[in-house]
């Protein structure tokens, strides 16, 4: 099934890890590692650790998880809510990509709860979408649909056409999996219209396939 996806060690150990990576790194990792090695306990460092986690998601899930945990620990220490929510989301993505779906659901839900606490509508929408995707991967289509519909409502409330298109596309995929082809085609068509409006050719191609 084609689904469009939107998007721990102690701090001291993380610095050691960064020093080890510095010898083999190149831009854009250099600037991120420079920020982390400065050992400043602030939101910029938490963000850099999060970006390092994202950088390693495609190549080293364990390393990505380590940086996500470091970002999470620091964000909690300095009471940086957005950083905490992002770090939990990165950790969940690594768990999801590694096939640990139950842990991924826990982490995505924790990220959503932080976003609710700090009233971050974008974060809530993204986590609803991600939670729905994990349920879909597990074959829990009714639960997946419930979360995708929630993501759709939030996207429309925010007037986020990309988020709306993404939600509609995944809703279409759920209907397709349940052999509800008329509903699937309707949602795919609505998604394609919005992808075309926003110039998202990747989204258009995914819906067309």
């Amino acid at each position: 099934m084609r689904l469009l996806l939107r998007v721990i060690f102690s701090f001291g150990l993380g610095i050691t890890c960064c020093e080890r990576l510095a010898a083999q790194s190149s831009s854009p990792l250099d600037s991120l590692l420079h920020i982390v090695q400065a050992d400043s306990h602030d939101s910029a460092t938490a963000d850099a650790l999060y970006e390092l986690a994202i950088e390693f998601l495609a190549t080293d899930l364990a390393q990505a998880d380590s940086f996500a945990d470091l970002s999470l620990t620091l964000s909690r220490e300095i009471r940086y809510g957005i950083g905490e929510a992002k770090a939990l989301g990165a950790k969940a993505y690594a768990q999801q990509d590694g096939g640990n779906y139950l842990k991924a659901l826990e982490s995505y839900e924790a990220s959503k709860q932080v976003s609710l606490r700090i009233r971050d509508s974008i974060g809530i929408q993204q986590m609803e979408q991600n939670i729905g995707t994990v349920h879909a991967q597990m074959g829990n289509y009714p639960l997946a649909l419930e979360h995708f519909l929630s993501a759709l409502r939030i996207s429309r409330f925010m007037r986020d056409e990309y988020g709306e298109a993404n939600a509609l596309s995944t809703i279409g995929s759920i209907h397709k999996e349940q052999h509800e082809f008329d509903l699937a085609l309707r949602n795919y068509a609505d998604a394609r219209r919005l992808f075309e409006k926003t110039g998202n050719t990747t989204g258009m191609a995914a819906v067309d396939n």
Side-chain angles (χ1 to χ4, degrees):
M1 174 174 59
R2 289 181 176 271
L3 289 174
L4 299 177
L5 301 180
R6 273 269 297 183
V7 100
I8 291 174
F9 317 143
S10 73
F11 195 74
L13 286 175
I15 295 301
T16 301
C17 176
C18 290
E19 290 171 348
R20 186 170 65 252
L21 289 169
Q24 62 190 33
S25 67
S26 59
S27 185
L29 292 183
D30 285 337
S31 58
L32 295 173
L33 290 168
H34 178 73
I35 294 171
V36 172
Q37 287 174 315
D39 199 14
S40 298
H41 284 50
D42 55 19
S43 60
T45 303
D47 286 339
L49 288 164
Y50 164 78
E51 292 296 339
L52 284 166
I54 298 302
E55 286 287 336
F56 280 96
L57 279 174
T59 57
D60 190 334
L61 291 178
Q63 190 68 70
D65 186 68
S66 298
F67 280 120
D69 266 333
L70 290 168
S71 180
L72 177 61
T73 299
L74 178 56
S75 295
R76 284 173 171 169
E77 285 178 359
I78 63 177
R79 298 183 180 181
Y80 178 39
I82 291 177
E84 182 181 356
K86 290 185 343 184
L88 284 164
K91 188 171 179 65
Y93 195 95
Q95 292 163 338
Q96 178 184 356
D97 206 36
N100 196 341
Y101 297 135
L102 294 179
K103 281 291 185 182
L105 286 173
E106 289 179 8
S107 297
Y108 280 138
E109 182 61 33
S111 178
K112 187 180 81 170
Q113 292 304 315
V114 175
S115 294
L116 283 166
R117 188 185 76 221
I118 63 176
R119 300 182 181 182
D120 177 17
S121 297
I122 294 175
I124 298 167
Q125 186 272 345
Q126 290 175 338
M127 291 309 106
E128 288 285 15
Q129 188 73 21
N130 291 340
I131 291 169
T133 299
V134 176
H135 280 302
Q137 289 176 315
M138 296 172 68
N140 298 329
Y141 299 131
L143 275 175
L145 184 59
E146 179 181 326
H147 287 283
F148 290 148
L149 287 170
S150 177
L152 178 62
R153 288 191 295 271
I154 297 168
S155 296
R156 285 175 171 169
F157 176 78
M158 294 190 300
R159 298 183 180 179
D160 173 12
E161 291 184 329
Y162 175 80
E164 182 179 352
N166 199 34
L168 285 165
S169 177
T170 49
I171 290 167
S173 294
I174 294 299
H175 286 305
K176 181 180 178 182
E177 288 298 315
Q178 297 184 112
H179 300 150
E180 298 166 346
F181 299 117
D182 288 343
L183 287 172
L185 287 172
R186 187 184 311 165
N187 281 278
Y188 281 145
D190 289 344
R192 194 187 194 288
R193 175 179 54 79
L194 287 172
F195 280 133
E196 185 175 8
K197 180 179 179 182
T198 56
N200 190 322
T201 55
T202 302
M204 291 166 60
V207 170
D208 289 342
N209 289 332

